[in-house]
Amino acid sequence: MSICPDGPVKIGPYAFHSRLFVGTGKYMSDAIMQEAITASGTELVTVALRRVDLSQPKKPSLLEALPSSVKILPNTAGCHTVQDALLVADIARAAGIGDLIKLEMIGDNEWLWPDPILTLEATKRLVQKGFAVMVYTSPDPVLAKHLEDEGAAAVMPLGSPIGSGQGIVNTEVIGRIKERVTRVPIVVDAGIGAAADAAMAMELGADAVLINTAIALAQDPVAMAQAMKWAVMAGRQGFLAGRMTKQWRASASSPAQGQVRAHVPS
Amino acid sequence: MSICPDGPVKIGPYAFHSRLFVGTGKYMSDAIMQEAITASGTELVTVALRRVDLSQPKKPSLLEALPSSVKILPNTAGCHTVQDALLVADIARAAGIGDLIKLEMIGDNEWLWPDPILTLEATKRLVQKGFAVMVYTSPDPVLAKHLEDEGAAAVMPLGSPIGSGQGIVNTEVIGRIKERVTRVPIVVDAGIGAAADAAMAMELGADAVLINTAIALAQDPVAMAQAMKWAVMAGRQGFLAGRMTKQWRASASSPAQGQVRAHVPS
Amino acid sequence: MSICPDGPVKIGPYAFHSRLFVGTGKYMSDAIMQEAITASGTELVTVALRRVDLSQPKKPSLLEALPSSVKILPNTAGCHTVQDALLVADIARAAGIGDLIKLEMIGDNEWLWPDPILTLEATKRLVQKGFAVMVYTSPDPVLAKHLEDEGAAAVMPLGSPIGSGQGIVNTEVIGRIKERVTRVPIVVDAGIGAAADAAMAMELGADAVLINTAIALAQDPVAMAQAMKWAVMAGRQGFLAGRMTKQWRASASSPAQGQVRAHVPS
Amino acid sequence: MSICPDGPVKIGPYAFHSRLFVGTGKYMSDAIMQEAITASGTELVTVALRRVDLSQPKKPSLLEALPSSVKILPNTAGCHTVQDALLVADIARAAGIGDLIKLEMIGDNEWLWPDPILTLEATKRLVQKGFAVMVYTSPDPVLAKHLEDEGAAAVMPLGSPIGSGQGIVNTEVIGRIKERVTRVPIVVDAGIGAAADAAMAMELGADAVLINTAIALAQDPVAMAQAMKWAVMAGRQGFLAGRMTKQWRASASSPAQGQVRAHVPS
């Protein structure tokens, strides 16, 4: 029984069999981070380039700490200008990390809400430079469509603010984005706080989820990583299985033709 | 890696390694029902006794259709009086199905909402007769406590009306019931519509969930059964792992001390 | 323009033109309480009899503090047995407060959740003794129907726990109770925290609301009392006006046949 | 007692004593529209310029149908390019309607979701041309701040899609926008379906609301207009009064020191 019986999710030239992507921030130790990453079954791990000193002669410790089986997704966390984001991406590519980049253009330091204008501009520029750009964005169907049109490799709407664990606050908008963005994957990025949130994101039609804080700050991060692995499998499978329609009148699970009693629910 | 690393859930004298219980109503065919039950990994399957003709000389077909590995949980669906419920329980025991019974005392035929008064009375009587009673109930913490005090083997609050698929409408009340009922398991019964709902029920502290319609009426019931299996595993594991605290201010996943840029999020 | 163009709400032999009932607990001073009661426009004010020393030769101060225009609704807050509730009701009647009584039979001291079994029993007994009983109850449609059948003068489901200010947690259940209870008014009692909650309760079909903490603990209780007065008017009027149907696809407010532009929204 | 004891809301050079703005679409007749506008107490009414034939020698009928006491707010509904929006605004000003304009730059014909990029661009251009621009926008705190910085006279986030009546789907984001946009009013525009929604928008901190469909498509539009008037008064007053804090443990409304009974809630 494979994790993804429906085949891998494809982002740019890459294919991932696990639909759970994870972050590397906030862990108490690199050892716990490593173990959690392994337990999650992920194949794509995001790293803030700011945390990695690429100028060192030897390989940076954080990158060394990651299992060789996972692909590194450098992100532009902390960049507030398009130029900064381009610089970080260039550095990552020059350091051999590759051309897959996660774009974060924060416009609000308190809520870590993305700036829609800078995000679109930076996406254009990074695509022109040949990057496969996974774009963190506000949950805006029209902006999501613009990002796809400009060549984003994946559109990553937030479920709720980064690190908040509030879950998918506006469930309907994820479906709307999925209706608009038809050529590249949707990844719910930010806000997932519990396994149910991850399952819900997938059942709403997301192609993958990215989780950091909910794993790193769980009481047992390794156990939570496994919970999230199962939650993403459950949500994806539930999406593919086709959920029942919600009913606003109850109906008997057990059909009414009974032997023992005659006066059954109508 | 076991499904339940925390040990089985115990109901009366019985122990179940899977925390997913399933129903048998509404399936298009017995064959699909059988396959879904197997895919779910369940060890406890509920059957409306009304659907089973126990007077036949040979074993009723529905019971024959169930895998021998699962325990049968006869339920009193369709009973509107305490006497009816006692009669159904007696018949089930006489037929050799055993002394584990699911009590449903419906007080509202349209919403299939349980009658709190009759439910408590029938619970007392069934316990006196030596049954292990799993009690379907409205999501009422005080009533739940009464049911435990009267000897119920499991308290089964509804998440939303039977067959509605609306999920856990009042999330807080499940936690309250769990605080009050400390000696026997809580099973969320009714209302689960999607994998995320099942995971949420478990993360709210339920010891198990009972699902029927969400599997039987999925477009692919067998795939959904597997999704629910994973969702319950995910939710239970997430509960045990201890979720992060919800935050109402975002905080950066990637800590602020960066190499590349100085002006990082405060 | 009257507050209630649809006529008064009738409870037992009484009629109230304002559909806002208020409590008297938790105020910083009797003076603020008096002013808030006046600003609310209420005609029915509930008082815990425990707070009133009826053995004093002169009129108790709390009752003196209330405007003479409002009717007093003694409540049984703090009673944990049917006998206690009956005693409180008898004392109130003997003291000349009248035969209208609010029954509260708390079954959970932490959540102040009512006990459904004792509530039904006490209702029967109080009705037999000739009281007009307004019954605080859990939001349970079947129990609500039992209470009406036993002669309750009003059924008062909680929106959320007393004093919590969480609002109407389970919006659908209020409508269900209203469908079941057709002969006496429904009053949403407990949980209202803001003006929007009061309006929502009325739009869901409640005949009145009872508010205490949300007014008493507002920063400006008198202003909040007025806000609640308007909110109840708004919600009642909105209910009578018949709300639009919720749409899950947007539609243009401004019809598409335009002069200036041709390419209008489809 | 004035509708707005806290003074008028100021938009550009204009001041409005009622914080309820209304639209003119979807009414069954001009007569009902007129009556509803009067009942609403509004002082600002939005009109899609597409619906008004300004080339006619005599005054267009729709504008004639409006009470002379209300200010007209022409909107750019139906415009899909910045040029179109500028043209509509110019026509309105040339026709003597004034320099107050509501900008709608729809980016999604199905959901009528605004285009954030074109919205910001058109806002800049209209401000440069001297218009007082009220900007319909997605509920995005960073974009809202950009709009204020570019000189918008009011920022108008949607509560849910135009005409949907779903209410304020993401309640938290309205507060965030209010924290960011500090110099000009916030008007919740789109999505309000019921009186409780209008009250909630105001209690979340909105300075005003704009309502069209919820009034026009109510069963009784005139009664609903009045309900919305009261709801906005209630919500504004509730906001100013300072709501109680939500509690996640219930606390007794009636303090525990009682005369009649000793065993009161702890």
Side-chain angles (χ1 to χ4, degrees):
Chain A
M1 190 185 301
S2 77
I3 292 179
C4 296
D6 57 315
V9 58
K10 292 178 183 169
I11 296 178
Y14 308 103
F16 303 100
H17 291 83
S18 166
R19 288 166 183 271
L20 171 59
F21 308 150
V22 302
T24 52
K26 299 187 180 175
Y27 282 94
M28 287 183 60
S29 73
D30 279 2
I32 291 175
M33 184 191 73
Q34 284 176 303
E35 208 179 336
I37 287 173
T38 300
S40 76
T42 190
E43 296 167 9
L44 184 64
V45 172
T46 188
V47 175
L49 214 59
R50 294 173 297 104
R51 296 183 58 211
V52 181
D53 188 347
L54 297 170
S55 62
Q56 295 292 30
K58 64 185 183 65
K59 196 175 176 187
S61 62
L62 179 61
L63 297 188
E64 273 192 345
L66 297 173
S68 59
S69 61
V70 303
K71 180 152 183 65
I72 304 298
L73 174 63
N75 69 56
T76 65
C79 294
H80 286 69
T81 67
V82 173
Q83 288 68 27
D84 286 352
L86 295 174
L87 176 60
V88 166
D90 282 338
I91 290 172
R93 185 155 60 182
I97 298 177
D99 59 3
L100 189 65
I101 189 101
K102 180 183 166 198
L103 176 65
E104 285 186 38
M105 294 291 323
I106 300 301
D108 179 323
N109 284 350
E110 190 180 5
W111 296 109
L112 302 177
W113 194 275
D115 185 312
I117 310 300
L118 298 185
T119 295
L120 184 61
E121 176 63 22
T123 298
K124 286 184 201 177
R125 300 282 297 277
L126 286 166
V127 170
Q128 286 164 358
K129 284 166 149 273
F131 287 96
V133 193
M134 300 176 68
V135 189
Y136 173 62
T137 177
S138 49
D140 184 316
V142 175
L143 182 60
K145 182 67 181 157
H146 284 318
L147 293 169
E148 179 186 48
D149 290 345
E150 293 296 342
V155 175
M156 305 177 79
L158 61 88
S160 51
I162 293 179
S164 73
Q166 296 173 18
I168 315 293
V169 171
N170 186 342
T171 53
E172 209 192 357
V173 85
I174 302 298
R176 284 181 203 159
I177 291 173
K178 187 67 190 165
E179 288 174 22
R180 290 294 166 266
V181 174
T182 55
R183 289 165 289 161
V184 300
I186 299 298
V187 182
V188 170
D189 177 13
I192 286 172
D197 300 334
M200 181 187 285
M202 298 304 293
E203 286 180 298
L204 290 169
D207 298 285
V209 296
L210 195 158
I211 303 175
N212 186 354
T213 308
I215 295 175
L217 294 192
Q219 288 174 32
D220 181 341
V222 178
M224 188 59 87
Q226 191 183 58
M228 291 299 185
K229 171 185 169 181
W230 287 333
V232 170
M233 289 163 60
R236 179 62 179 175
Q237 182 87 331
F239 174 75
L240 296 173
R243 68 160 288 159
M244 65 175 287
T245 307
K246 285 191 189 184
Q247 303 295 329
W248 301 102
R249 281 292 183 283
S251 60
S253 297
S254 306
Q257 58 278 20
Q259 277 78 11
V260 172
R261 303 308 314 169
H263 50 98
V264 289
S266 62
Chain B
M1 190 184 303
S2 78
I3 292 179
C4 296
D6 57 313
V9 58
K10 291 178 184 169
I11 295 179
Y14 308 102
F16 303 99
H17 292 83
S18 166
R19 288 165 183 271
L20 171 58
F21 307 150
V22 302
T24 51
K26 298 188 181 176
Y27 282 94
M28 287 182 61
S29 72
D30 279 0
I32 292 174
M33 184 192 73
Q34 283 176 304
E35 208 179 336
I37 286 172
T38 300
S40 75
T42 191
E43 296 166 10
L44 185 63
V45 172
T46 189
V47 175
L49 213 59
R50 294 175 297 104
R51 297 183 57 211
V52 179
D53 188 347
L54 297 171
S55 63
Q56 297 292 29
K58 63 185 185 65
K59 196 176 177 186
S61 62
L62 180 60
L63 298 188
E64 274 192 346
L66 297 173
S68 59
S69 61
V70 303
K71 181 155 182 60
I72 303 298
L73 174 62
N75 69 55
T76 65
C79 295
H80 286 69
T81 66
V82 173
Q83 286 68 27
D84 285 352
L86 295 174
L87 175 61
V88 166
D90 282 339
I91 290 173
R93 187 156 58 182
I97 299 176
D99 59 3
L100 189 64
I101 188 99
K102 179 183 167 199
L103 176 64
E104 285 187 39
M105 294 293 323
I106 299 302
D108 179 321
N109 284 350
E110 189 178 7
W111 295 108
L112 300 178
W113 194 276
D115 184 312
I117 310 300
L118 297 185
T119 295
L120 184 60
E121 176 62 22
T123 298
K124 285 184 202 178
R125 299 283 297 278
L126 286 166
V127 170
Q128 286 164 358
K129 285 167 148 272
F131 288 97
V133 193
M134 300 177 68
V135 189
Y136 172 61
T137 177
S138 50
D140 183 314
V142 175
L143 181 60
K145 181 66 180 156
H146 283 318
L147 293 169
E148 180 185 47
D149 289 344
E150 293 295 342
V155 175
M156 307 178 76
L158 61 88
S160 51
I162 294 179
S164 73
Q166 296 173 17
I168 315 292
V169 171
N170 186 341
T171 54
E172 208 192 356
V173 85
I174 302 299
R176 283 181 205 159
I177 291 173
K178 187 67 190 166
E179 289 174 22
R180 289 294 166 266
V181 175
T182 55
R183 290 165 288 160
V184 300
I186 299 298
V187 182
V188 170
D189 177 12
I192 287 172
D197 300 334
M200 180 186 286
M202 298 305 293
E203 287 180 298
L204 289 170
D207 297 285
V209 295
L210 194 158
I211 303 176
N212 185 354
T213 308
I215 295 175
L217 295 192
Q219 288 174 33
D220 182 340
V222 178
M224 188 58 87
Q226 190 181 61
M228 291 300 184
K229 172 185 170 180
W230 288 332
V232 171
M233 289 163 60
R236 179 64 179 176
Q237 181 88 329
F239 174 74
L240 296 173
R243 69 161 287 162
M244 66 174 287
T245 307
K246 285 191 188 186
Q247 302 295 328
W248 301 102
R249 282 290 184 285
S251 60
S253 297
S254 306
Q257 57 278 22
Q259 277 80 12
V260 172
R261 304 309 313 168
H263 51 99
V264 289
S266 62
Chain C
M1 189 184 304
S2 76
I3 293 179
C4 295
D6 56 313
V9 58
K10 292 178 184 168
I11 297 179
Y14 308 103
F16 302 100
H17 292 84
S18 166
R19 288 166 183 271
L20 171 59
F21 307 150
V22 302
T24 52
K26 298 188 180 175
Y27 283 94
M28 287 182 61
S29 73
D30 278 0
I32 292 175
M33 184 191 72
Q34 284 176 303
E35 208 179 336
I37 286 172
T38 301
S40 75
T42 191
E43 297 166 11
L44 185 64
V45 172
T46 188
V47 176
L49 213 59
R50 293 175 298 104
R51 295 182 59 211
V52 180
D53 188 347
L54 297 171
S55 63
Q56 297 292 27
K58 63 184 184 67
K59 197 175 175 186
S61 62
L62 179 60
L63 298 188
E64 274 191 346
L66 296 173
S68 60
S69 61
V70 304
K71 181 155 183 60
I72 304 298
L73 174 63
N75 69 55
T76 66
C79 295
H80 286 69
T81 66
V82 173
Q83 286 68 27
D84 285 353
L86 295 175
L87 175 61
V88 166
D90 282 339
I91 290 172
R93 186 156 58 181
I97 299 177
D99 59 2
L100 189 64
I101 188 100
K102 180 184 166 197
L103 176 65
E104 285 187 38
M105 294 292 325
I106 299 301
D108 178 324
N109 285 348
E110 189 178 6
W111 295 109
L112 300 178
W113 194 275
D115 184 313
I117 309 300
L118 297 186
T119 296
L120 184 60
E121 176 63 20
T123 298
K124 285 183 203 180
R125 300 284 296 277
L126 287 166
V127 170
Q128 285 164 358
K129 284 165 148 275
F131 287 96
V133 193
M134 301 178 66
V135 189
Y136 172 61
T137 177
S138 50
D140 184 314
V142 175
L143 181 59
K145 182 66 180 155
H146 283 318
L147 293 169
E148 180 186 47
D149 289 344
E150 294 296 342
V155 175
M156 307 177 78
L158 61 89
S160 51
I162 293 179
S164 72
Q166 295 172 18
I168 315 292
V169 171
N170 186 342
T171 54
E172 208 193 357
V173 85
I174 302 298
R176 282 181 205 159
I177 292 173
K178 188 68 189 163
E179 288 175 22
R180 290 292 165 270
V181 176
T182 54
R183 290 165 288 161
V184 299
I186 299 298
V187 183
V188 169
D189 176 14
I192 286 172
D197 301 334
M200 180 186 285
M202 297 304 292
E203 287 180 299
L204 290 169
D207 298 285
V209 296
L210 195 159
I211 303 177
N212 185 354
T213 308
I215 295 174
L217 294 192
Q219 288 175 34
D220 182 340
V222 179
M224 188 59 86
Q226 191 181 59
M228 290 301 183
K229 173 187 169 180
W230 288 332
V232 171
M233 289 163 61
R236 179 63 178 175
Q237 182 87 328
F239 174 74
L240 296 173
R243 68 160 289 160
M244 66 174 286
T245 306
K246 285 191 188 186
Q247 302 295 329
W248 300 102
R249 281 292 183 282
S251 60
S253 297
S254 307
Q257 58 278 23
Q259 277 78 11
V260 173
R261 303 309 312 169
H263 50 98
V264 289
S266 61
Chain D
M1 188 184 301
S2 76
I3 292 180
C4 294
D6 56 314
V9 57
K10 293 178 184 169
I11 296 178
Y14 308 102
F16 303 99
H17 292 83
S18 166
R19 290 167 182 271
L20 171 59
F21 307 150
V22 303
T24 52
K26 298 187 180 176
Y27 283 94
M28 286 182 60
S29 73
D30 278 1
I32 292 175
M33 184 192 74
Q34 283 175 303
E35 207 179 335
I37 286 172
T38 300
S40 76
T42 191
E43 297 167 9
L44 185 63
V45 173
T46 188
V47 175
L49 215 58
R50 293 174 297 105
R51 297 182 57 212
V52 181
D53 188 347
L54 297 170
S55 64
Q56 296 291 28
K58 64 185 183 69
K59 197 175 177 186
S61 62
L62 179 61
L63 297 188
E64 274 191 346
L66 296 173
S68 60
S69 61
V70 304
K71 182 156 181 61
I72 304 298
L73 174 62
N75 69 55
T76 66
C79 295
H80 286 70
T81 67
V82 173
Q83 286 68 27
D84 285 352
L86 295 174
L87 175 60
V88 166
D90 282 339
I91 290 172
R93 185 154 60 181
I97 299 177
D99 60 2
L100 189 64
I101 187 100
K102 180 182 166 199
L103 176 64
E104 285 186 39
M105 295 292 323
I106 300 302
D108 179 324
N109 284 350
E110 189 179 7
W111 295 108
L112 301 178
W113 194 275
D115 185 312
I117 310 300
L118 298 186
T119 296
L120 184 62
E121 176 63 22
T123 298
K124 285 185 202 179
R125 300 283 296 279
L126 286 166
V127 170
Q128 287 165 359
K129 284 165 147 274
F131 287 96
V133 193
M134 300 177 68
V135 188
Y136 173 62
T137 176
S138 50
D140 183 315
V142 175
L143 182 60
K145 181 68 181 153
H146 284 318
L147 293 169
E148 180 186 47
D149 290 344
E150 293 296 342
V155 174
M156 306 177 78
L158 61 90
S160 51
I162 293 178
S164 73
Q166 296 172 18
I168 315 292
V169 171
N170 186 343
T171 53
E172 210 192 357
V173 85
I174 301 298
R176 284 181 203 158
I177 291 172
K178 187 68 191 163
E179 289 175 21
R180 291 292 165 269
V181 174
T182 55
R183 289 166 288 161
V184 299
I186 299 297
V187 182
V188 169
D189 178 13
I192 286 172
D197 300 335
M200 181 186 285
M202 297 305 293
E203 286 182 297
L204 291 169
D207 297 285
V209 296
L210 195 158
I211 303 176
N212 185 354
T213 307
I215 296 175
L217 293 192
Q219 288 174 32
D220 182 340
V222 179
M224 188 59 87
Q226 191 183 57
M228 292 299 186
K229 171 185 171 182
W230 288 333
V232 170
M233 289 163 62
R236 179 62 178 176
Q237 182 87 328
F239 175 75
L240 296 173
R243 68 161 288 160
M244 65 175 286
T245 307
K246 285 191 189 183
Q247 303 295 328
W248 300 101
R249 281 290 182 285
S251 59
S253 298
S254 306
Q257 58 278 20
Q259 277 79 12
V260 172
R261 303 309 313 169
H263 51 99
V264 289
S266 61

